[in-house]
Amino acid sequence: MILPVQDRLRAHVARLLTTLYSLDESSATPPIALEYPPNRELGDLGTPVAFELARRLRKAPRALAQEIAAAFGALDGIRQVTAAPNGYLNFFLERRDFLLTRLSPEIAAPRPSAGKAIVEHTAINPNKAAHIGHLRNSALGDTLVRVLRFRGIPVEVQNYIDDTGVQVADVVVGFRAIEGKTLDEIRQIADTTQFDYYCWDLYARVTEWYGQDKERLAVRGETLHDIEHGGNENAEIAAFIADRVVRCHLKTMARMNVDYDLLTWEGDILRLRFWAQAFEVLKAKGAVYLQTEGRLAGCWVMPIQDDVEATPKEDEDEEEEREKVIVRSNGVVTYVGKDIAYQFWKLGLLGKDFHYRVFMTRPHGPLWATCTTGGEGNHPEFGGAAYVYNVIDVRQSYLQKLLKQALVAVGHPDGAERSHHFSYEMVALSHATARELGYAPPPDSEDAKRPFVEVSGRKGLGVKADDLLDTLIRSAGNEVGKRNPELDQEEERRISRMIAIAAVRYFMIKFSRGKVIAFDLEEALSFEGESGPYIQYAVVRANNIFQKLAQRDGLDEATLLKALKDVPTGDLDGTNGSHELWALVLDASRLDEIVDQVIRSLEFSVLAKYAFTLAQSFNAFYHRAQILNEERDDVKRWRAAAVIYLRSQLTRALDLMGVEVPPRM
């Protein structure tokens, strides 16, 4: 990893500048930015700090760089310091020690003292199967969890379950009003069908049923009221549907290598009166008030600040756009109010807590869920985070701004600063993929003229996540079978699953999260293009090198690396005519730097591009520089060492994206 080297170098230069130029508090040391020279012959790291000093000291950057280089002295890991003619200060690393240190077990990154982070992601309505858009949410959310943990930050992963919302009520209406089912009959359906798929179709039928007669929406209202108040058959049916569908969702997400620590149920927020607690605080601080006139008379509303862009419905007038209803005139709290209370709890500001139960047992530990009463006392400490990341699509930006506004209004601006909306755009289909999956629009329609095909779960036209994964696994299996005809069916499917998950997870993060993406099956599964399978293949290719060396020459990795500290470093130092090998090592070491950049920007396309570029560099090196047939022992050993390190870093990068490395491809 490169960050420890950079930290030591910055600290050394800062001390040197303070001493060399008698800098005091009034002329503090300028920030020491570190960059990478355009090629390794110029240096491994460089800094333009002389340009910053030049303005203060009224001296030429080149002269300052020469003075700093001359006074630099010795620093562990730095072989040479030079002043470039343009005024840059360049540093050359001690290459042998750098690589050997990284081939040894590395010390874990220090754990920050700022406390844990809560990452809430996925949050699928528990009324039907997960769809392709949920795969982008979970891929982004899970990758965020992994990069935070990589940097030593403790993370609590939550999945919010909206079990009292309109969507669940609609499925209850479908079972009761359209199909006339009792709870026992619904249990039978759940036990004998793919229940989340069954509910998917039923939900689409309910939407159509409402459209035939708008007065039927009254049934929805009555059902929603029953669910919110509990103690009736509709509430029991809703609870059963939500539980069973959530279990289906968890199986789908487990296929994606996505996991959670806590399922937070909206019903528990209502029953434990979290909102009542938050409501009293908001009223006391004047953050909400009772509207006494107009269409919102009787509602408790929050005035919308000028910097919060409202997203009103078409039937709302300009005055109402500047007020957000928090509690309706009938006393029902809106989703905004529930989310405000939930955000207060996440940050440890509510003064109340859930009860907790084990939702399911797993080999690596229980999955916990909130509950209203009882529960178990040996649960982890949930909530009370230093930082909160809500992974929700860009359409919820307005709501997320209101959460921060509420925190500021009740005197917690620091809580607003520690609340992050990790937004992302939606997922559509390429026309080729839409045709393959059976969603192609009519050739003469307006939809056919658009650059991608939009889908709608409400209309039953969404791509189910499991269907997409099954299609990817089949396609990957065809390719794996062609390349490895000796594989048995079980092993072929295991490898195909790894490739399929790499395909979809990499595709979901390789684009900027602010970009609508058109998922394309062929592009995602390509072994040649910018894809997850391409990076997997680079690691498999590296593994094959060492497998062949062991089989052919009896050389294992430990033997190849043995006594490297005494092996001439011509191929590593560039004295053999090329710095390509060292460039691979240095680029591979930048993974921790890339992760830091990702955490600061919340832009995971940076990680995806880094891994792809590193795989490209390795593949180019593989074709130009032999290891298996290299006759020079020193060259073979250093090339092997570099590839072992690069393979390790690529494997780590894939793991950060939730991708496993198959044994073969």
Side-chain angles (χ1 to χ4, degrees):
M1 299 299 182
I2 195 67
L3 286 182
V5 175
Q6 293 184 0
D7 291 342
R8 289 200 309 272
L9 183 55
R10 285 193 184 95
H12 183 82
V13 173
R15 289 192 297 268
L16 173 61
L17 296 182
T18 300
T19 302
L20 196 59
Y21 298 109
S22 301
L23 299 178
D24 54 27
E25 291 184 3
S26 62
S27 55
T29 304
I32 301 164
L34 292 177
E35 303 171 0
Y36 293 90
N39 63 69
R40 300 288 69 81
E41 291 182 355
L42 297 176
D44 300 321
L45 292 168
T47 178
V49 69
F51 294 91
E52 293 292 329
L53 281 172
R55 287 190 287 270
R56 300 187 191 184
L57 303 179
R58 300 183 182 279
K59 202 169 185 178
R62 180 178 180 180
L64 289 169
Q66 289 171 341
E67 291 174 358
I68 297 168
F72 188 85
L75 179 64
D76 184 38
I78 303 299
R79 174 172 57 89
Q80 183 183 357
V81 183
T82 62
N86 61 3
Y88 267 79
L89 197 64
N90 291 330
F91 309 94
F92 294 82
L93 302 181
E94 179 50 66
R95 296 180 178 183
R96 183 202 301 268
D97 292 345
F98 185 90
L99 178 52
L100 291 182
T101 299
R102 280 146 190 80
L103 288 170
S104 304
E106 292 195 58
I107 300 173
R111 174 165 293 186
S113 59
K116 74 178 177 184
I118 286 177
V119 175
E120 181 217 320
H121 69 82
T122 305
I124 309 170
N125 287 317
N127 69 319
K128 63 182 186 304
H131 59 63
I132 187 172
H134 297 131
L135 296 184
R136 189 175 196 188
N137 182 300
S138 61
L140 288 167
D142 185 63
T143 304
L144 174 60
V145 170
R146 291 167 182 265
V147 298
L148 290 172
R149 286 176 173 164
F150 178 85
R151 292 304 296 149
I153 300 172
V155 183
E156 180 180 305
V157 190
Q158 298 184 7
N159 185 357
Y160 184 79
I161 311 299
D162 183 4
D163 57 323
T164 64
V166 170
Q167 290 81 3
V168 174
D170 284 346
V171 177
V172 175
V173 170
F175 277 118
R176 300 278 280 161
I178 296 179
E179 297 194 338
K181 302 294 184 184
T182 65
L183 177 56
D184 287 340
E185 289 171 328
I186 296 169
R187 290 183 190 275
Q188 177 67 20
I189 292 171
D191 291 339
T192 56
T193 67
Q194 194 167 351
F195 190 59
D196 56 339
Y197 277 42
Y198 188 98
C199 292
W200 175 290
D201 295 334
L202 182 57
Y203 182 62
R205 288 167 56 198
V206 171
T207 301
E208 185 179 352
W209 187 71
Y210 290 147
Q212 293 167 354
D213 184 354
K214 296 297 184 183
E215 292 186 2
R216 291 171 174 169
L217 288 170
V219 181
R220 171 198 275 175
E222 294 167 1
T223 304
L224 192 59
H225 180 273
D226 287 346
I227 293 171
E228 290 178 346
H229 287 79
N232 54 75
E233 188 170 6
N234 279 341
E236 290 181 22
I237 290 173
F240 174 79
I241 291 169
D243 180 271
R244 281 297 186 94
V245 172
V246 165
R247 293 179 189 276
C248 294
H249 292 167
L250 292 174
K251 290 179 180 178
T252 301
M253 293 303 149
R255 300 178 75 184
M256 288 278 290
N257 301 324
V258 172
D259 200 5
Y260 311 93
D261 300 313
L262 178 68
L263 305 180
T264 311
W265 295 74
E266 183 176 276
D268 295 320
I269 292 176
L270 295 174
R271 289 183 288 270
L272 289 168
R273 297 179 59 79
F274 275 25
W275 164 245
Q277 184 93 351
F279 190 31
E280 291 304 316
V281 175
L282 288 166
K283 286 191 292 184
K285 296 290 186 179
V288 297
Y289 62 89
L290 182 65
Q291 180 59 270
T292 58
E293 57 186 22
R295 290 177 59 188
L296 301 184
C299 298
W300 285 89
V301 299
M302 176 185 289
I304 299 172
Q305 295 177 352
D306 292 338
D307 60 344
V308 177
E309 182 180 352
T311 53
K313 297 179 180 178
E314 293 180 1
D315 60 350
E316 291 179 332
D317 60 32
E318 183 176 350
E319 179 181 354
E320 290 163 348
E321 291 174 17
R322 305 315 304 166
E323 296 176 326
K324 183 62 181 177
V325 176
I326 306 300
V327 182
R328 297 189 180 98
S329 57
N330 61 2
V332 175
V333 59
T334 64
Y335 67 94
V336 179
K338 289 177 281 191
D339 282 350
I340 288 173
Y342 182 33
Q343 191 75 2
F344 283 11
W345 172 80
K346 287 178 180 176
L347 291 164
L349 304 175
L350 189 65
K352 297 190 72 170
D353 198 4
F354 296 100
H355 299 273
Y356 301 94
R357 61 189 170 95
V358 174
F359 187 78
M360 64 169 54
T361 57
R362 305 168 298 186
H364 58 283
L367 171 60
W368 292 88
T370 61
C371 59
T372 306
T373 59
E376 301 179 41
N378 61 338
H379 61 82
E381 291 296 321
F382 293 113
Y387 298 94
V388 173
Y389 297 88
N390 295 326
V391 184
I392 310 174
D393 71 62
V394 70
R395 294 173 299 180
Q396 299 299 316
S397 296
Y398 170 54
L399 167 62
Q400 293 298 308
K401 290 177 181 177
L402 287 179
L403 298 185
K404 298 183 78 165
Q405 178 182 320
L407 285 162
V408 173
V410 299
H412 291 288
D414 60 323
E417 288 295 321
R418 294 183 285 117
S419 299
H420 304 282
H421 177 203
F422 189 124
S423 64
Y424 62 94
E425 269 291 357
M426 308 309 294
V427 181
L429 302 176
S430 70
H431 283 277
T433 296
R435 286 192 296 272
E436 185 166 348
L437 296 176
Y439 294 101
D444 56 347
S445 67
E446 287 299 316
D447 288 339
K449 300 175 185 177
R450 294 177 179 173
F452 47 74
V453 178
E454 296 183 17
V455 290
S456 169
R458 182 175 292 275
K459 298 177 182 178
L461 298 177
V463 178
K464 300 180 185 72
D466 283 313
D467 285 350
L468 179 67
L469 296 178
D470 289 342
T471 300
L472 286 164
I473 290 170
R474 284 194 300 272
S475 298
N478 292 336
E479 185 65 25
V480 171
K482 290 177 186 175
R483 295 174 178 231
N484 305 277
E486 74 284 0
L487 286 178
D488 62 47
Q489 189 173 7
E490 182 178 346
E491 181 66 1
E492 179 184 301
R493 182 165 181 80
R494 185 176 77 91
I495 293 172
S496 301
R497 190 198 74 82
M498 292 181 183
I499 295 171
I501 299 309
V504 69
R505 287 200 58 147
Y506 187 87
F507 198 96
M508 292 300 177
I509 72 168
K510 77 173 185 175
F511 300 98
S512 169
R513 59 190 173 91
K515 177 182 174 63
V516 175
I517 61 175
F519 188 84
D520 186 83
L521 286 166
E522 184 177 354
E523 180 183 344
L525 269 176
S526 173
F527 283 33
E528 303 298 332
E530 185 181 351
S531 70
Y534 176 85
I535 302 169
Q536 284 178 311
Y537 188 64
V539 180
V540 170
R541 173 174 274 171
N543 284 333
N544 288 341
I545 292 173
F546 300 106
Q547 290 171 5
K548 290 177 181 178
L549 278 172
Q551 293 167 1
R552 190 190 68 183
D553 302 333
L555 284 175
D556 59 20
E557 294 180 27
T559 303
L560 280 166
L561 298 179
K562 187 178 180 181
L564 269 177
K565 66 180 188 306
D566 299 319
V567 174
T569 57
D571 209 46
L572 192 65
D573 287 340
T575 53
N576 288 353
S578 172
H579 294 270
E580 183 179 21
L581 185 65
W582 170 244
L584 277 179
V585 172
L586 189 62
D587 288 345
S589 75
R590 295 187 60 203
L591 178 59
D592 58 344
E593 180 185 0
I594 296 298
V595 167
D596 266 22
Q597 183 179 341
V598 164
I599 292 172
R600 288 195 305 271
S601 66
L602 294 181
E603 189 56 80
F604 293 142
S605 58
V606 175
L607 174 63
K609 180 67 72 174
Y610 165 78
F612 171 66
T613 303
L614 194 58
Q616 274 187 314
S617 298
F618 166 71
N619 285 329
F621 174 80
Y622 173 86
H623 288 295
R624 286 196 293 265
Q626 289 290 313
I627 294 178
L628 288 169
N629 299 319
E630 176 56 54
E631 296 180 355
R632 294 167 294 177
D633 184 68
D634 59 325
V635 173
K636 175 183 287 190
R637 286 177 184 268
W638 283 117
R639 287 180 183 175
V643 171
I644 288 171
Y645 180 58
L646 180 141
R647 179 192 60 182
S648 172
Q649 293 294 84
L650 266 183
T651 302
R652 287 183 176 189
L654 285 170
D655 181 69
L656 291 174
M657 295 183 280
V659 174
E660 301 170 286
V661 177
R664 61 177 72 184
M665 292 179 71

